[in-house]
Amino acid sequence: NIVDLNKKYDGKKVVNSVSFEIPKGKVLSLIGPNGAGKSTTMKIITGFLSPDNGNVFICGIDAKKNPIEAKRIIGYLPEHNPLYLDMYVKEYLDFASSFYKLGKLKNTAINNVIEQTGLQNEYKKKIRQLSKGYRQRVGLAQALIHNPRVLILDEPTTGLDPKQLIEIRDLIKNIGK
């Protein structure tokens, strides 16, 4: 649940009393023009930004009172996919998995997201060698590595060609199931 979120930058309100609820198992898209506050709202939900006021509850967890607990159950792919281009795909996923303390489940989790995101033929390559579409898949794999209860994707298809766009949308639909 998102309750009465507000955020200002330099005195300008970019998020103005935003409230909504997403029932379990549902998908929500935030649609609006550039500068409407969509990315800011997602950054607040994920805990990367603090709201000026308002509340965020992730699966019943108050993100203000229990920020680490809330972040543990969120997978997040920001608009500008932050990848280490000199790392190999599997190496990067191993690195990303270290944030979630997966222990003995780490290798299984890595192999599962490689398969889930269609990276079976790419995981031995350096990220810099990948197309934009496959880089998005790596970012999505990173967001999924800990099997989050909530997945937040900020413009996951930006800059993709029509074929890649369809592939990523289909991948997101399959993950949503």
Side-chain angles (χ1 to χ4, degrees), residues 30-84:
L30 297 180
I31 299 171
N34 291 339
K38 301 177 301 292
S39 292
T40 300
T41 299
M42 286 186 246
K43 287 176 185 173
I44 292 169
I45 294 168
T46 58
F48 283 89
L49 278 179
S50 296
D52 294 335
N53 59 18
N55 295 296
V56 174
F57 299 92
I58 307 294
C59 299
I61 299 166
D62 185 331
K64 241 186 237 175
K65 292 180 182 173
N66 301 298
I68 293 172
E69 190 179 340
K71 288 177 186 177
R72 276 193 187 118
I73 61 173
I74 297 172
Y76 178 46
L77 175 61
E79 180 179 3
H80 302 290
N81 190 355
L83 299 171
Y84 292 106

Side-chain angles (χ1 to χ4, degrees), residues 57-165:
F57 299 92
I58 307 294
C59 299
I61 299 166
D62 185 331
K64 241 186 237 175
K65 292 180 182 173
N66 301 298
I68 293 172
E69 190 179 340
K71 288 177 186 177
R72 276 193 187 118
I73 61 173
I74 297 172
Y76 178 46
L77 175 61
E79 180 179 3
H80 302 290
N81 190 355
L83 299 171
Y84 292 106
L85 302 180
D86 288 326
M87 292 180 94
Y88 292 92
V89 171
K90 194 165 187 176
E91 176 187 26
Y92 175 75
L93 294 174
D94 182 68
F95 169 71
S97 71
S98 68
F99 299 116
Y100 300 105
K101 300 177 185 170
L102 299 176
K104 294 176 184 178
L105 301 174
K106 179 179 79 168
N107 289 330
T108 301
I110 291 169
N111 292 331
N112 285 346
V113 295
I114 285 172
E115 184 176 327
Q116 188 177 21
T117 56
L119 291 167
Q120 300 93 320
N121 296 324
E122 311 298 325
Y123 75 91
K124 292 181 182 178
K125 293 181 182 177
K126 283 196 174 186
I127 294 171
R128 100 168 38 262
Q129 296 174 289
L130 302 177
S131 69
K132 174 114 170 122
Y134 277 106
R135 288 181 189 189
Q136 284 298 86
R137 289 172 188 253
V138 173
L140 191 53
Q142 170 275 138
L144 292 167
I145 196 122
H146 63 296
N147 195 26
R149 292 173 59 192
V150 175
L151 183 61
I152 297 177
L153 310 174
D154 191 353
E155 301 206 28
T157 60
T158 297
L160 300 181
D161 66 39
K163 183 178 184 264
Q164 292 170 331
L165 191 138

